[in-house]
Amino acid sequence: MASRYAQEGGQLLQQGQPAEAVKSFQKGLSIDPKDVDCLMGLVRTHLSTGASQEAQGAVTRLLQVQPENTEAQAHLAMLKAQAGDPVALVTLKALAAAPTAGYFERFNLGTLLAERGDLDGAKAAFEAAQVVAPHSVYPHFELGRIAVQRKDTAAAVEHFQQAAALAPQEALPFLMLSRAHASNGSVGLAIAAGVQALENARGKTRVAVLQDLFRLYLQANSQEAARRTIRELRELDPTQVQYLHLQGLAALLAGELAEAKALFEEALQRAPHQWDVRHSLAQAHEAMGNREEARRLLEETVAVAPNEPAPTNDLVRLLMGDQDHARARVLLERVLAVNPNDALTHLNLARAHQPFDRAEATRHAKQAQSLGGDDTFQEQVARFLSDLGS
C-alpha cells in the first residue's frame, strides 16, 4: 500500500499542483529514502513539468532500490534517448514489445517516436497503450494530435471527443476538439467545444481558448459574442496591442464605426509601425466615407508592406475608381510575384486589364476562378467573365 505522502503527492499531481506534489513526495522520502511509491511519484511529476534532469535523478534512485521496475526502466530509456543516446531507443522498443509491457513502456515509446516524426510507429505504440489503459485520456489525445498532423480531421475529432469524454474537467481536450471541428469547417461544433474548454481553462490555455473563440464568433457572425470575448482578453492583458486591434475589428464588423476608428487610432499610437493596424484604420475611414484619408493611410500601408495582398487590393480599388489602372496593375503584379495563388489579386488585376487587354483580363479572371473562394467571390468572378463575353 502506498505511503501517506505518496497518496497525497499523487492527489496533488492530479489536481495540477506539481510543486506541492514534489514537496509531499520529498517528505515521504525524508522518512524512508527507499519509498518506491514516492520515488515513482517524483519521477512522474518531474516528467509532467518537463524537468528532465530532475526526473532522471529520481528514476536512477528508484532503479537502485528496485532494478526490475520496468516502468522506471522505460522512463530512463526515454530520457536517455531524448538526450541523444542511440541505444536507449532500442531498449525502449524492447520494453514496449514485451508481452508483460505496461502502459508507460508503450506510451513512452509513442512519445519518443512522435517526437522523431515516426507517426506510424507512434500511432501503433499509443494504440498499444490504450489496450492496457483503455480509460486513459492521454493516448486518445496523442492519437488526435497525430491525426491533425496527417490532416485527418475526422480521426482527430473522434480521438479528441473520446479524450474530452474521459477528462470532462480538462480544458485541453476540448480546445483541441474545437480546433479539429474548425479545420473540418464545422464552426458551430467548434464554438460548442470551445465554450466547454473555457469552463475549466486557466492561464495560457484560457487565453488560447478565448483567441480561438473570438475568430470562430467572427466566422459565425456572432458579433456580440466576439466583442464580449475580446473584452475579456483585454482584461487579461491590457497592454496587448493585438487585442486592442481585434476589439476594433469586432466593432467594425458590428457597424460601430466611430468606436472602431477610436480603437484603431489608439492601437496605432501604441504600435506605429504595425501595418495591419494602419490598414484597419484605413478601412474604418473608408466605411465612414472619408475616402481621401483612407487612401492616404492605404498608401502608407502599401509603402511599408508592398507584398501584402489585403492593403494593396484595398488601395487598388480606390485607384481604379480614380481611373489609375496603370498604377493598379504595377501594384497588383508586385503582389502576385510573391503571392501567385491569391485569388482576389488575380480578379483585381483582371479588372485593371479590362479596359485595355481583354485577353489578359480573361486569363487572370479564370485564374481567380480556379483558385476557389466562397460563393460570393465565385459569383463576382462569373459576372466579370460574363461581362467580358468569356
Side-chain angles (χ1 to χ4, degrees):
M1 180 177 175
S3 69
R4 169 192 152 200
Y5 290 109
Q7 290 176 336
E8 286 180 0
Q11 290 170 353
L12 289 165
L13 182 58
Q14 287 183 344
Q15 293 165 7
Q17 301 180 63
E20 294 303 313
V22 167
K23 290 178 185 177
S24 182
F25 295 134
Q26 287 175 337
K27 281 182 183 177
L29 290 169
S30 69
I31 297 169
D32 178 5
K34 296 184 177 181
D35 187 324
V36 171
D37 293 316
C38 281
L39 284 167
M40 185 60 80
L42 208 53
V43 172
R44 292 175 180 173
T45 305
H46 286 315
L47 286 172
S48 74
T49 60
S52 301
Q53 192 170 358
E54 291 82 355
Q56 187 160 339
V59 79
T60 301
R61 285 176 62 188
L62 174 53
L63 286 169
Q64 288 171 349
V65 176
Q66 198 174 77
E68 74 283 0
N69 190 307
T70 54
E71 179 185 335
Q73 291 170 8
H75 290 318
L76 185 60
M78 183 180 71
L79 289 165
K80 285 186 173 182
Q82 288 172 330
D85 183 341
V87 177
L89 176 57
V90 177
T91 302
L92 186 53
K93 284 183 175 179
L95 288 168
T100 56
Y103 171 79
F104 282 102
E105 294 92 300
R106 301 175 185 196
F107 187 84
N108 284 4
L109 178 61
T111 300
L112 191 61
L113 293 176
E115 288 175 358
R116 299 187 175 195
D118 181 359
L119 299 186
D120 288 336
K123 181 173 180 289
F126 289 132
E127 287 173 343
Q130 279 183 308
V131 172
V132 293
H135 300 297
S136 173
V137 63
Y138 300 107
H140 281 297
F141 189 82
E142 296 302 329
L143 286 166
R145 291 176 62 187
I146 289 172
V148 169
Q149 287 181 265
R150 289 177 157 171
K151 302 189 186 306
D152 185 349
T153 54
V157 166
E158 179 183 349
H159 284 297
F160 290 134
Q161 278 179 333
Q162 292 181 41
L166 288 165
Q169 302 306 312
E170 294 291 328
L172 208 50
F174 284 107
L175 171 59
M176 297 304 292
L177 176 59
S178 175
R179 290 176 176 176
H181 280 310
S183 297
N184 213 20
S186 304
V187 176
L189 291 173
I191 289 173
V195 170
Q196 286 180 286
L198 199 60
E199 290 179 5
N200 296 294
R202 300 290 181 270
K204 291 181 180 179
T205 302
R206 186 170 188 83
V207 170
V209 174
L210 287 167
Q211 289 175 337
D212 282 12
L213 278 172
F214 174 76
R215 290 188 288 269
L216 290 166
Y217 285 137
L218 290 185
Q219 282 183 260
N221 201 30
S222 300
Q223 294 165 358
E224 187 50 44
R227 297 177 77 180
R228 183 179 65 247
T229 303
I230 198 60
R231 281 196 295 269
E232 181 173 345
L233 278 168
R234 286 202 65 198
E235 288 172 5
L236 290 172
D237 189 355
T239 65
Q240 178 61 259
V241 173
Q242 177 198 9
Y243 298 157
L244 185 60
H245 183 201
L246 292 175
Q247 187 176 3
L249 289 174
L252 184 64
L253 290 170
E256 301 292 343
L257 303 182
E259 180 186 347
K261 175 176 167 289
L263 289 164
F264 293 144
E265 286 173 340
E266 183 183 347
L268 193 60
Q269 188 175 20
R270 293 193 195 179
H273 302 299
Q274 205 160 310
W275 68 263
D276 54 341
V277 177
R278 193 177 299 274
H279 178 214
S280 295
L281 181 57
Q283 291 177 314
H285 275 290
E286 187 178 4
M288 296 173 78
N290 304 329
R291 191 175 184 280
E292 290 306 312
E293 182 62 10
R295 176 165 174 169
R296 182 186 71 78
L297 288 163
L298 286 169
E299 293 277 11
E300 292 175 355
T301 305
V302 169
V304 297
N307 299 324
E308 292 293 336
T312 294
N313 279 292
D314 281 352
L315 176 58
V316 158
R317 188 178 62 255
L318 298 181
L319 290 173
M320 288 195 290
D322 294 335
Q323 303 303 308
D324 193 351
H325 292 78
R327 181 153 179 256
R329 289 196 297 275
V330 170
L331 295 178
L332 291 166
E333 285 165 356
R334 183 171 65 189
V335 168
L336 278 181
V338 180
N339 306 276
N341 295 322
D342 189 78
L344 179 58
T345 304
H346 275 290
L347 178 57
N348 279 332
L349 189 51
R351 289 165 172 159
H353 276 295
Q354 183 181 12
F356 315 102
D357 189 338
R358 294 172 70 84
E360 191 67 2
T362 300
R363 184 176 76 81
H364 280 289
K366 287 185 175 179
Q367 183 72 13
Q369 192 174 48
S370 71
L371 289 167
D374 60 23
D375 291 343
T376 301
F377 178 77
Q378 286 296 324
E379 287 170 7
Q380 289 178 17
V381 178
R383 281 199 302 272
F384 181 81
L385 286 169
S386 177
D387 291 342
L388 282 174
S390 300

